[in-house]
Amino acid sequence: GAVVSQHPSWVICKSGTSVKIECRSLDFQATTMFWYRQFPKQSLMLMATSNEGSKATYEQGVEKDKFLINHASLTLSTLTVTSAHPEDSSFYICSARDFALSSYNEQFFGPGTRLTVL
Amino acid sequence: GENVEQHPSTLSVQEGDSAVIKCTYSDSASNYFPWYKQELGKRPQLIIDIRSNVGEKKDQRIAVTLNKTAKHFSLHITETQPEDSAVYFCAAFGTGGYNKLIFGAGTRLAVHP
């Protein structure tokens, strides 16, 4: 149980285009999902907290107009990188919490999406 | 906000030796401390976690200790094996309405046969 998937697993795009990444909780409902970005040899940096049915909460320094987050259902959150540039190339990972679990603090991570912007 | 510091950044041990990674956190209200193992290009995997009402937890070769007063927690791996080689991250539950996980910078562990 508690499986999180991401799609696509990798994507290469041209500078200036937009890329959408999907995060799905496959066997539980996730009212809250989190989006992280990880540059090579660095830690996971939280970008935003995605809440079903409401606006996402962005961390300081993360441009909300560039990284659009939509959490339209209890099992799906999407991150759209708009007008992508080479510096946006990174490993994007989502996670979700299952509040129905007694260990509700635990976050379940997706497999990540490697974005390369040419 | 919460800040998590992790040391060392790299750790090299011989197979069979023990490895210890230490983390400190700043928010005294934090109550959940997970440890993750991440292999190259893969998702972080939860290997053990501890809550603030417990001082120590063990799972086979892995143990975690928590000192709430000093606000630090440590990961202990005994009888290390080459397959333990990976990057390990500590994390702490920050305060705020959605309980954000704040990660340490990571420790690259290399276990040499």
Side-chain angles (χ1 to χ4, degrees), chain B residues 28-103:
Chain B
S28 56
S30 292
N31 60 3
Y32 176 64
F33 308 92
W35 285 89
Y36 294 91
K37 175 183 179 182
Q38 188 181 32
E39 297 176 343
L40 190 62
K42 302 281 183 66
R43 76 184 87 193
Q45 273 185 293
L46 178 70
I47 55 172
I48 196 166
D49 57 13
I50 192 167
R51 288 177 169 74
S52 58
N53 59 347
V54 175
E56 184 174 356
K57 184 177 178 181
K58 189 173 181 181
D59 182 3
Q60 298 183 0
R61 296 187 296 111
I62 296 173
V64 56
T65 58
L66 171 65
N67 183 327
K68 283 182 60 180
T69 303
K71 290 189 284 188
H72 64 69
F73 55 115
S74 301
L75 177 71
H76 305 253
I77 305 175
T78 58
E79 301 172 31
T80 54
Q81 300 165 3
E83 50 266 39
D84 293 330
S85 298
V87 180
Y88 291 81
F89 293 98
C90 63
F93 233 18
T95 54
Y98 299 103
N99 298 123
K100 301 179 292 187
L101 264 185
I102 306 299
F103 283 80

Coordinates of all heavy atoms in Angstrom, one line a residue, chain B residues 28-103:
Chain B
S28 N 12.1 23.2 18.4 CA 11.8 22.3 19.5 C 10.5 21.7 19.4 O 10.2 20.7 20.1 CB 12.0 23.1 20.8 OG 11.1 24.2 20.8
A29 N 9.6 22.2 18.6 CA 8.3 21.6 18.4 C 8.2 20.4 17.5 O 7.2 19.7 17.4 CB 7.3 22.7 17.9
S30 N 9.3 20.2 16.7 CA 9.4 19.1 15.8 C 9.2 17.8 16.6 O 9.7 17.6 17.6 CB 10.7 19.0 15.1 OG 10.8 20.1 14.2
N31 N 8.4 16.9 16.0 CA 8.0 15.6 16.7 C 8.2 14.4 15.9 O 7.8 13.3 16.3 CB 6.6 15.7 17.2 CG 5.6 15.9 16.1 OD1 5.9 15.9 14.9 ND2 4.3 16.1 16.4
Y32 N 8.8 14.5 14.7 CA 8.9 13.3 13.9 C 10.2 13.4 13.1 O 10.5 14.4 12.4 CB 7.7 13.2 12.9 CG 7.8 12.0 11.9 CD1 7.8 10.7 12.3 CD2 7.9 12.3 10.5 CE1 7.9 9.7 11.4 CE2 7.9 11.3 9.6 CZ 7.9 10.0 10.1 OH 8.0 8.9 9.1
F33 N 11.0 12.3 13.1 CA 12.4 12.4 12.5 C 12.6 11.2 11.7 O 13.1 10.1 12.3 CB 13.4 12.6 13.7 CG 13.1 13.7 14.6 CD1 12.3 13.5 15.7 CD2 13.5 15.0 14.3 CE1 12.0 14.5 16.6 CE2 13.2 16.0 15.2 CZ 12.5 15.8 16.3
P34 N 12.4 11.2 10.4 CA 12.7 10.1 9.6 C 14.1 10.1 9.0 O 14.7 11.2 8.8 CB 11.7 10.2 8.5 CG 11.5 11.7 8.3 CD 11.7 12.3 9.7
W35 N 14.6 8.9 8.6 CA 15.8 8.8 7.9 C 15.6 8.1 6.5 O 14.8 7.1 6.5 CB 16.9 8.0 8.7 CG 17.5 8.7 9.8 CD1 17.0 8.8 11.1 CD2 18.7 9.5 9.8 NE1 17.8 9.5 11.9 CE2 18.9 10.0 11.1 CE3 19.6 9.8 8.8 CZ2 20.0 10.7 11.5 CZ3 20.7 10.5 9.2 CH2 20.9 11.0 10.5
Y36 N 16.2 8.7 5.5 CA 16.0 8.1 4.1 C 17.3 7.7 3.5 O 18.4 8.3 3.8 CB 15.3 9.2 3.2 CG 13.9 9.6 3.6 CD1 13.7 10.6 4.5 CD2 12.8 8.9 3.1 CE1 12.4 11.0 4.9 CE2 11.5 9.2 3.5 CZ 11.3 10.3 4.4 OH 10.1 10.6 4.7
K37 N 17.2 6.7 2.7 CA 18.3 6.2 1.9 C 18.0 6.5 0.5 O 16.9 6.1 0.0 CB 18.6 4.7 2.2 CG 19.6 4.1 1.3 CD 19.7 2.6 1.5 CE 20.8 1.9 0.7 NZ 20.8 0.4 0.9
Q38 N 18.9 7.1 -0.3 CA 18.6 7.4 -1.7 C 19.8 6.9 -2.5 O 20.9 7.3 -2.3 CB 18.4 8.9 -1.9 CG 17.9 9.2 -3.3 CD 17.7 10.7 -3.6 OE1 18.4 11.5 -3.0 NE2 16.8 11.0 -4.4
E39 N 19.4 6.0 -3.4 CA 20.4 5.6 -4.4 C 20.3 6.5 -5.7 O 19.3 7.1 -5.9 CB 20.2 4.1 -4.8 CG 20.4 3.2 -3.5 CD 20.1 1.8 -3.8 OE1 19.4 1.5 -4.8 OE2 20.5 1.0 -3.0
L40 N 21.4 6.5 -6.4 CA 21.5 7.4 -7.6 C 20.3 7.3 -8.5 O 19.9 6.3 -9.0 CB 22.8 7.2 -8.3 CG 23.1 8.2 -9.4 CD1 23.4 9.6 -8.7 CD2 24.4 7.8 -10.1
G41 N 19.6 8.5 -8.7 CA 18.5 8.5 -9.6 C 17.2 7.9 -9.1 O 16.2 7.8 -9.9
K42 N 17.2 7.5 -7.8 CA 16.0 6.9 -7.3 C 15.3 7.8 -6.3 O 15.8 8.8 -5.8 CB 16.4 5.5 -6.6 CG 17.1 4.6 -7.5 CD 16.1 3.8 -8.4 CE 16.8 2.8 -9.3 NZ 17.3 1.7 -8.5
R43 N 14.1 7.3 -5.9 CA 13.4 8.1 -4.8 C 14.0 7.8 -3.5 O 14.6 6.8 -3.3 CB 11.9 7.6 -4.8 CG 11.7 6.3 -4.2 CD 10.2 5.9 -4.3 NE 9.9 5.2 -5.5 CZ 8.7 4.9 -6.0 NH1 7.6 5.4 -5.3 NH2 8.5 4.3 -7.1
P44 N 13.8 8.7 -2.5 CA 14.3 8.4 -1.2 C 13.4 7.3 -0.6 O 12.2 7.3 -0.7 CB 14.0 9.8 -0.4 CG 13.8 10.8 -1.5 CD 13.2 10.0 -2.7
Q45 N 14.1 6.4 0.2 CA 13.4 5.3 0.8 C 13.5 5.5 2.3 O 14.6 5.6 2.9 CB 14.1 4.0 0.5 CG 13.7 3.3 -0.8 CD 14.5 2.0 -0.9 OE1 15.7 2.0 -1.1 NE2 13.7 0.9 -0.8
L46 N 12.4 5.4 3.0 CA 12.4 5.5 4.4 C 13.0 4.2 5.0 O 12.6 3.1 4.7 CB 10.9 5.6 4.9 CG 10.8 5.7 6.4 CD1 11.3 7.0 7.0 CD2 9.3 5.5 6.8
I47 N 14.0 4.4 5.8 CA 14.7 3.2 6.4 C 14.3 3.1 7.9 O 14.3 2.0 8.4 CB 16.2 3.2 6.2 CG1 16.8 4.5 6.8 CG2 16.5 3.0 4.7 CD1 18.4 4.5 6.7
I48 N 14.1 4.2 8.6 CA 13.7 4.2 10.0 C 13.2 5.5 10.4 O 13.6 6.5 9.7 CB 14.9 3.7 10.9 CG1 14.4 3.3 12.3 CG2 16.0 4.8 11.0 CD1 15.4 2.5 13.1
D49 N 12.4 5.6 11.3 CA 11.9 6.9 11.8 C 11.7 6.8 13.3 O 11.7 5.7 13.9 CB 10.6 7.4 11.1 CG 9.5 6.4 11.2 OD1 9.6 5.5 12.0 OD2 8.5 6.6 10.5
I50 N 11.6 8.0 13.9 CA 11.5 8.0 15.4 C 10.6 9.2 15.7 O 10.7 10.3 15.1 CB 12.8 8.1 16.1 CG1 12.7 7.8 17.6 CG2 13.5 9.4 15.9 CD1 14.0 7.6 18.3
R51 N 9.8 9.1 16.7 CA 8.9 10.1 17.2 C 9.5 10.7 18.5 O 10.2 10.0 19.2 CB 7.5 9.7 17.3 CG 6.8 9.4 16.0 CD 5.5 8.9 16.0 NE 4.9 9.0 14.7 CZ 5.2 8.2 13.7 NH1 6.1 7.3 13.8 NH2 4.6 8.4 12.5
S52 N 9.0 11.9 18.8 CA 9.6 12.6 19.9 C 9.4 12.0 21.3 O 10.0 12.4 22.3 CB 9.2 14.1 19.9 OG 7.8 14.2 20.0
N53 N 8.4 11.1 21.4 CA 8.2 10.4 22.7 C 9.0 9.2 22.9 O 8.8 8.4 23.9 CB 6.7 10.1 22.8 CG 6.2 9.2 21.7 OD1 6.9 8.9 20.7 ND2 5.0 8.6 21.9
V54 N 10.0 8.9 22.0 CA 10.8 7.8 22.1 C 12.3 8.2 22.0 O 12.6 9.1 21.2 CB 10.5 6.8 20.9 CG1 11.5 5.6 20.9 CG2 9.1 6.3 21.0
G55 N 13.2 7.6 22.8 CA 14.6 8.0 22.7 C 15.4 7.2 21.8 O 16.5 7.6 21.3
E56 N 15.0 5.9 21.5 CA 15.8 5.1 20.7 C 14.9 4.1 20.0 O 13.8 3.6 20.5 CB 16.8 4.3 21.5 CG 17.8 3.5 20.7 CD 18.9 2.9 21.5 OE1 18.9 3.2 22.8 OE2 19.7 2.1 21.0
K57 N 15.3 3.7 18.7 CA 14.5 2.7 18.0 C 15.5 1.9 17.2 O 16.4 2.5 16.6 CB 13.5 3.4 17.1 CG 12.6 2.5 16.3 CD 11.5 3.3 15.5 CE 10.6 2.5 14.7 NZ 9.7 3.3 13.9
K58 N 15.2 0.6 17.1 CA 16.2 -0.2 16.4 C 15.4 -1.2 15.4 O 14.3 -1.6 15.7 CB 17.0 -1.1 17.4 CG 18.1 -1.8 16.8 CD 19.0 -2.5 17.9 CE 20.2 -3.2 17.2 NZ 21.0 -3.9 18.3
D59 N 16.0 -1.4 14.3 CA 15.5 -2.3 13.3 C 16.6 -3.1 12.7 O 17.3 -2.6 11.8 CB 14.7 -1.6 12.2 CG 14.0 -2.5 11.2 OD1 14.1 -3.7 11.4 OD2 13.4 -2.0 10.3
Q60 N 16.9 -4.2 13.2 CA 18.0 -5.1 12.7 C 19.3 -4.3 12.8 O 19.8 -4.0 13.9 CB 17.7 -5.6 11.3 CG 16.5 -6.4 11.2 CD 16.2 -7.0 9.8 OE1 16.9 -6.8 8.9 NE2 15.1 -7.7 9.7
R61 N 20.0 -4.0 11.7 CA 21.3 -3.4 11.8 C 21.2 -1.8 11.9 O 22.2 -1.2 12.0 CB 22.1 -3.7 10.5 CG 22.4 -5.2 10.4 CD 23.4 -5.4 9.2 NE 22.8 -5.1 7.9 CZ 23.2 -4.0 7.2 NH1 24.2 -3.2 7.6 NH2 22.6 -3.8 6.0
I62 N 20.0 -1.3 11.9 CA 19.9 0.1 11.9 C 19.2 0.6 13.2 O 18.3 -0.1 13.7 CB 19.0 0.6 10.7 CG1 19.7 0.2 9.4 CG2 18.6 2.0 10.8 CD1 18.8 0.4 8.2
A63 N 19.7 1.7 13.7 CA 19.1 2.2 14.9 C 19.2 3.7 14.8 O 20.0 4.3 14.2 CB 19.9 1.8 16.2
V64 N 18.2 4.4 15.5 CA 18.2 5.8 15.6 C 18.0 6.2 17.0 O 17.3 5.6 17.8 CB 17.1 6.4 14.7 CG1 15.7 5.8 15.1 CG2 17.0 7.9 14.8
T65 N 18.8 7.2 17.4 CA 18.6 7.8 18.8 C 18.2 9.2 18.7 O 18.6 9.9 17.7 CB 20.0 7.7 19.6 OG1 21.0 8.4 18.8 CG2 20.4 6.2 19.7
L66 N 17.5 9.7 19.7 CA 17.0 11.1 19.7 C 17.2 11.7 21.1 O 16.9 11.1 22.1 CB 15.5 11.1 19.4 CG 14.7 12.4 19.6 CD1 15.3 13.5 18.6 CD2 13.2 12.2 19.4
N67 N 17.8 12.8 21.1 CA 18.0 13.6 22.3 C 17.2 14.9 22.1 O 17.7 15.9 21.5 CB 19.5 13.9 22.5 CG 19.8 14.6 23.8 OD1 19.0 15.4 24.3 ND2 20.9 14.3 24.4
K68 N 16.1 15.0 22.7 CA 15.2 16.1 22.5 C 15.8 17.4 23.2 O 15.6 18.5 22.7 CB 13.8 15.8 23.1 CG 12.9 15.0 22.2 CD 11.6 14.8 22.8 CE 10.9 16.1 23.0 NZ 9.5 16.0 23.6
T69 N 16.4 17.2 24.3 CA 17.0 18.3 25.0 C 18.0 19.0 24.2 O 18.1 20.2 24.1 CB 17.6 17.9 26.4 OG1 16.6 17.2 27.1 CG2 18.1 19.1 27.2
A70 N 18.9 18.2 23.6 CA 20.0 18.8 22.8 C 19.5 19.0 21.4 O 20.3 19.6 20.6 CB 21.2 17.8 22.8
K71 N 18.4 18.5 21.0 CA 17.8 18.7 19.6 C 18.8 18.1 18.6 O 19.1 18.7 17.6 CB 17.5 20.1 19.3 CG 16.3 20.7 20.1 CD 15.8 22.0 19.6 CE 16.8 23.1 20.1 NZ 16.2 24.5 19.9
H72 N 19.2 16.8 18.9 CA 19.9 16.1 17.9 C 19.5 14.6 17.8 O 19.0 14.1 18.8 CB 21.4 16.3 18.0 CG 22.1 15.8 19.2 ND1 22.2 14.4 19.5 CD2 22.7 16.4 20.2 CE1 22.9 14.3 20.6 NE2 23.2 15.5 21.1
F73 N 19.7 14.0 16.7 CA 19.3 12.6 16.5 C 20.4 12.0 15.6 O 21.0 12.7 14.7 CB 17.9 12.4 15.9 CG 17.6 13.2 14.7 CD1 17.3 12.5 13.5 CD2 17.5 14.6 14.7 CE1 16.9 13.1 12.4 CE2 17.1 15.2 13.5 CZ 16.9 14.5 12.3
S74 N 20.6 10.7 15.7 CA 21.7 10.1 15.0 C 21.2 8.7 14.4 O 20.3 8.1 15.0 CB 22.8 9.8 16.0 OG 23.3 11.0 16.5
L75 N 21.8 8.4 13.3 CA 21.6 7.1 12.6 C 22.8 6.2 12.9 O 23.9 6.7 12.6 CB 21.3 7.3 11.2 CG 21.1 6.0 10.3 CD1 19.8 5.4 10.6 CD2 21.2 6.3 8.8
H76 N 22.6 5.0 13.3 CA 23.6 4.1 13.5 C 23.4 2.8 12.6 O 22.4 2.2 12.7 CB 23.7 3.6 15.0 CG 23.8 4.7 15.9 ND1 24.9 5.0 16.6 CD2 22.9 5.7 16.3 CE1 24.7 6.1 17.4 NE2 23.5 6.5 17.3
I77 N 24.4 2.5 11.8 CA 24.4 1.3 11.0 C 25.5 0.4 11.4 O 26.7 0.8 11.4 CB 24.5 1.6 9.5 CG1 23.5 2.7 9.0 CG2 24.3 0.3 8.7 CD1 23.6 3.1 7.6
T78 N 25.1 -0.8 11.9 CA 26.2 -1.7 12.3 C 26.4 -2.8 11.2 O 25.6 -3.0 10.3 CB 25.8 -2.5 13.6 OG1 24.5 -3.1 13.4 CG2 25.6 -1.5 14.7
E79 N 27.6 -3.4 11.3 CA 27.9 -4.5 10.3 C 27.7 -4.0 8.9 O 26.9 -4.7 8.2 CB 27.2 -5.8 10.7 CG 27.5 -6.3 12.1 CD 26.6 -7.4 12.5 OE1 26.2 -8.2 11.6 OE2 26.2 -7.5 13.7
T80 N 28.2 -2.9 8.5 CA 27.9 -2.4 7.2 C 28.3 -3.3 6.1 O 29.2 -4.1 6.2 CB 28.7 -1.0 7.0 OG1 30.1 -1.2 7.2 CG2 28.1 0.0 7.9
Q81 N 27.5 -3.2 5.0 CA 27.7 -4.0 3.8 C 27.8 -3.1 2.6 O 27.3 -2.0 2.6 CB 26.5 -5.0 3.7 CG 26.3 -5.9 4.9 CD 25.0 -6.6 4.9 OE1 24.2 -6.4 4.0 NE2 24.7 -7.4 5.9
P82 N 28.5 -3.6 1.5 CA 28.6 -2.7 0.3 C 27.3 -2.2 -0.2 O 27.2 -1.0 -0.7 CB 29.2 -3.7 -0.7 CG 30.1 -4.6 0.2 CD 29.2 -4.8 1.4
E83 N 26.2 -2.9 0.0 CA 24.9 -2.5 -0.5 C 24.3 -1.4 0.4 O 23.3 -0.8 0.0 CB 23.9 -3.6 -0.6 CG 23.8 -4.5 0.6 CD 24.7 -5.7 0.5 OE1 25.8 -5.6 0.0 OE2 24.3 -6.8 1.0
D84 N 25.0 -1.1 1.5 CA 24.6 0.1 2.3 C 25.1 1.4 1.7 O 24.7 2.5 2.1 CB 25.1 0.0 3.7 CG 24.5 -1.2 4.5 OD1 23.3 -1.5 4.2 OD2 25.2 -1.7 5.4
S85 N 25.9 1.3 0.7 CA 26.5 2.5 0.1 C 25.4 3.3 -0.6 O 24.6 2.7 -1.5 CB 27.6 2.1 -0.9 OG 28.7 1.5 -0.3
A86 N 25.2 4.5 -0.3 CA 24.1 5.4 -0.8 C 24.3 6.7 -0.1 O 25.2 7.0 0.6 CB 22.8 4.8 -0.5
V87 N 23.3 7.6 -0.4 CA 23.2 8.9 0.2 C 22.1 8.8 1.3 O 21.0 8.3 1.0 CB 23.0 10.1 -0.7 CG1 22.9 11.4 0.1 CG2 24.1 10.2 -1.8
Y88 N 22.4 9.2 2.5 CA 21.4 9.1 3.6 C 21.0 10.6 4.0 O 21.9 11.4 4.1 CB 22.0 8.4 4.8 CG 22.2 6.9 4.5 CD1 23.3 6.5 3.8 CD2 21.3 6.0 4.9 CE1 23.5 5.1 3.5 CE2 21.4 4.6 4.7 CZ 22.5 4.2 4.0 OH 22.7 2.9 3.7
F89 N 19.7 10.8 4.1 CA 19.2 12.1 4.5 C 18.4 11.9 5.8 O 17.6 11.0 6.0 CB 18.2 12.6 3.5 CG 18.9 13.0 2.2 CD1 18.8 12.1 1.1 CD2 19.5 14.2 2.0 CE1 19.4 12.4 -0.1 CE2 20.1 14.5 0.8 CZ 20.1 13.7 -0.3
C90 N 18.7 12.8 6.7 CA 17.8 12.9 7.9 C 16.8 14.0 7.6 O 17.0 14.8 6.7 CB 18.6 13.3 9.2 SG 19.4 14.9 9.1
A91 N 15.7 14.0 8.3 CA 14.7 15.0 8.1 C 14.0 15.3 9.5 O 14.0 14.4 10.4 CB 13.7 14.6 7.0
A92 N 13.3 16.4 9.6 CA 12.6 16.7 10.7 C 11.3 17.4 10.3 O 11.2 18.1 9.3 CB 13.3 17.7 11.7
F93 N 10.2 17.1 11.0 CA 8.9 17.7 10.7 C 8.9 19.1 11.2 O 8.9 19.3 12.4 CB 7.9 16.9 11.5 CG 6.8 16.4 10.6 CD1 6.9 16.3 9.2 CD2 5.6 16.0 11.2 CE1 5.9 15.9 8.4 CE2 4.6 15.5 10.4 CZ 4.7 15.4 9.0
G94 N 8.8 20.1 10.3 CA 8.8 21.5 10.7 C 7.4 21.8 11.2 O 6.4 21.1 10.9
T95 N 7.3 22.9 11.8 CA 6.0 23.4 12.3 C 5.2 24.1 11.1 O 5.8 24.3 10.1 CB 6.1 24.4 13.4 OG1 7.0 25.4 13.0 CG2 6.7 23.7 14.6
G96 N 4.0 24.3 11.3 CA 3.2 24.9 10.2 C 2.0 24.0 10.0 O 2.0 22.8 10.4
G97 N 1.0 24.5 9.4 CA -0.2 23.8 9.2 C -0.1 22.5 8.5 O -0.9 21.6 8.7
Y98 N 0.9 22.3 7.6 CA 0.9 21.1 6.8 C 2.1 20.2 7.2 O 2.4 19.3 6.5 CB 0.9 21.4 5.3 CG -0.4 22.1 5.0 CD1 -0.4 23.5 4.8 CD2 -1.6 21.5 4.9 CE1 -1.5 24.2 4.4 CE2 -2.7 22.2 4.6 CZ -2.7 23.5 4.4 OH -3.8 24.2 4.1
N99 N 2.7 20.5 8.3 CA 3.8 19.7 8.8 C 4.8 19.3 7.7 O 4.9 18.2 7.2 CB 3.3 18.4 9.4 CG 2.4 18.7 10.6 OD1 1.3 18.4 10.7 ND2 3.0 19.5 11.6
K100 N 5.6 20.3 7.3 CA 6.6 20.1 6.2 C 7.8 19.3 6.7 O 8.3 19.5 7.8 CB 7.1 21.4 5.7 CG 5.9 22.3 5.2 CD 6.5 23.6 4.7 CE 7.0 24.5 5.8 NZ 7.3 25.9 5.4
L101 N 8.3 18.4 5.9 CA 9.6 17.7 6.1 C 10.7 18.6 5.7 O 10.8 19.0 4.5 CB 9.6 16.4 5.4 CG 9.2 15.1 6.1 CD1 9.5 14.0 5.2 CD2 9.9 15.0 7.4
I102 N 11.6 18.9 6.6 CA 12.8 19.6 6.2 C 14.0 18.7 6.3 O 14.2 18.0 7.3 CB 13.1 20.8 7.2 CG1 11.8 21.7 7.3 CG2 14.3 21.6 6.8 CD1 11.4 22.3 6.0
F103 N 14.8 18.6 5.2 CA 15.8 17.6 5.0 C 17.2 18.2 5.4 O 17.5 19.4 5.2 CB 15.9 17.2 3.6 CG 14.8 16.2 3.2 CD1 13.5 16.6 2.9 CD2 15.1 14.8 3.2 CE1 12.5 15.7 2.6 CE2 14.1 13.9 2.9 CZ 12.8 14.3 2.6

